[in-house]
């Protein structure tokens, strides 16, 4: 409009364009696998409250479920789209943990005698379970130091593993008593021989020992009577000695 009241007008088009994606803040997650070896996350915990001036159309994450194969760190992408098709995304780290999935229980600690079998089938085997599969059991023993004067301790460490990866372990203590027991010896029966016959032993005594496989055997002879007589007695004293010096006769 000018000063004389004359007017004119024109028209223009204003286009309102939304080219801005939603605002979102993503949070890393931890997943603890359950007794079945499974765990999951939810969108709301990853993305939180996304916002957009024009409104949110949809939100999603590319993965929600995890299993034993995912143990460790996994990457998940979250996406949010507004009503005008603008999309924003973020990446989070999901730590998949299996803290209580592997269980192992060792046999009770034992006190055994020297020479007793130390095989696991005799002293007990560990029991294991795992939510990620059937565990394989194995054990290793600490070096056994033999002692004749005091008991020794053997530590048996049991481990369970899944596909070669160790998942749990426990230790059984086996105390082996010192060897203070002499061998058992049983002499041969008395014999009668001619006075001019060789009296060297033809039969040795029966000897056994819990801790020594082959105890030493020896003897001493004591003549009772006069060897010049036509008849006399030789008393043969047999001795068995084990590796720890325990003696019986």
């Amino acid at each position: 409009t000018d000063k004389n009241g004359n007017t004119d007008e024109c028209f223009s088009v204003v286009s309102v364009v939304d080219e801005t994606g939603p605002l979102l803040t993503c949070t890393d997650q931890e997943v603890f696998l359950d007794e079945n070896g499974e765990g999951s996350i939810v969108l709301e915990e990853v993305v939180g409250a996304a916002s957009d001036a024009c409104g949110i159309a949809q939100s999603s994450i590319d993965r929600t479920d995890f299993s034993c194969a995912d143990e460790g760190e996994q990457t998940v992408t979250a996406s949010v789209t507004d009503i005008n098709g603008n999309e924003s995304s973020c990446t989070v780290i999901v730590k998949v943990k299996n803290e209580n999935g592997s269980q192992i229980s060792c046999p009770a600690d034992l006190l055994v005698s020297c020479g007793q079998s130390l095989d696991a089938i005799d002293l007990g085997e560990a029991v294991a379970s795992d939510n990620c599969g059937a565990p394989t059991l194995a054990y290793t023993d600490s070096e056994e130091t033999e002692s004749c004067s005091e008991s020794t301790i053997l530590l048996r460490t049991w481990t369970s593993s899944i596909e070669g990866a160790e998942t749990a372990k426990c230790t059984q203590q086996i105390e082996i008593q010192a060897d203070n027991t002499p061998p058992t010896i049983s002499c041969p029966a008395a014999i009668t021989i001619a006075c001019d016959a060789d009296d060297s032993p033809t039969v040795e005594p029966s000897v056994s020992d819990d801790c020594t496989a082959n105890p030493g055997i020896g003897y001493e002879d004591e003549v009772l009577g006069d060897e010049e007589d036509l008849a006399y007695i030789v008393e043969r004293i047999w001795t068995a000695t084990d590796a720890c010096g325990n003696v019986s006769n």
Side-chain angles (χ1 to χ4, degrees):
T1 302
D2 62 17
K3 65 179 181 179
N4 296 310
N6 300 303
T7 64
D8 199 3
E9 62 183 3
C10 66
F11 298 92
S12 62
V13 176
V14 178
S15 297
V16 180
V17 179
D18 177 13
E19 296 180 341
T20 303
L23 296 176
L24 70 161
T25 301
C26 292
T27 305
D28 290 342
Q29 301 291 304
E30 284 186 337
V31 172
F32 296 91
L33 300 181
D34 62 17
E35 65 276 7
N36 298 315
E38 299 173 344
S40 62
I41 58 176
V42 295
L43 172 66
E44 291 75 15
E45 293 178 352
V46 175
V47 175
S51 62
D52 187 87
C54 298
I56 301 296
Q58 64 178 12
S59 301
S60 65
I61 50 178
D62 64 354
R63 186 176 184 185
T64 59
D65 298 324
F66 302 88
S67 66
C68 295
D70 302 312
E71 190 171 352
E73 293 189 352
Q74 304 297 326
T75 301
V76 172
T77 300
S79 300
V80 178
T81 305
D82 67 16
I83 60 175
N84 293 307
N86 300 300
E87 181 181 88
S88 297
S89 63
C90 63
T91 299
V92 300
I93 299 298
V94 178
K95 295 180 179 179
V96 182
K97 299 182 177 182
N98 193 21
E99 294 184 343
N100 299 312
S102 301
Q103 305 291 333
I104 188 170
S105 176
C106 267
D109 294 342
L110 292 174
L111 175 65
V112 300
S113 61
C114 144
Q116 183 175 336
S117 170
L118 298 178
D119 291 343
I121 194 171
D122 297 315
L123 301 186
E125 297 182 342
V127 177
S129 62
D130 199 290
N131 60 353
C132 290
T136 299
L137 283 170
Y139 70 86
T140 56
D141 288 340
S142 63
E143 184 176 351
E144 179 187 348
T145 304
E146 295 185 359
S147 173
C148 291
S149 59
E150 59 184 16
S151 297
T152 57
I153 301 297
L154 175 70
L155 297 179
R156 176 162 291 170
T157 301
W158 288 89
T159 59
S160 66
S161 59
I162 298 290
E163 297 180 354
E166 183 180 307
T167 57
K169 64 181 178 180
C170 63
T171 300
Q172 178 189 22
Q173 178 174 294
I174 302 168
E175 181 177 355
I176 304 169
Q177 293 178 309
D179 181 11
N180 298 313
T181 304
T184 299
I185 184 170
S186 178
C187 283
I191 59 173
T192 300
I193 61 175
C195 61
D196 59 350
D198 182 5
D199 63 356
S200 299
T202 57
V203 179
E204 291 189 341
S206 173
V207 177
S208 63
D209 188 83
D210 289 338
C211 304
T212 302
N214 297 298
I217 301 174
Y219 70 88
E220 291 183 358
D221 286 343
E222 182 179 351
V223 177
L224 304 178
D226 190 342
E227 291 185 50
E228 300 298 326
D229 295 339
L230 294 178
Y232 60 92
I233 295 174
V234 176
E235 186 176 79
R236 180 158 290 162
I237 302 173
W238 289 93
T239 301
T241 307
D242 67 17
C244 286
N246 301 302
V247 178
S248 60
N249 51 43

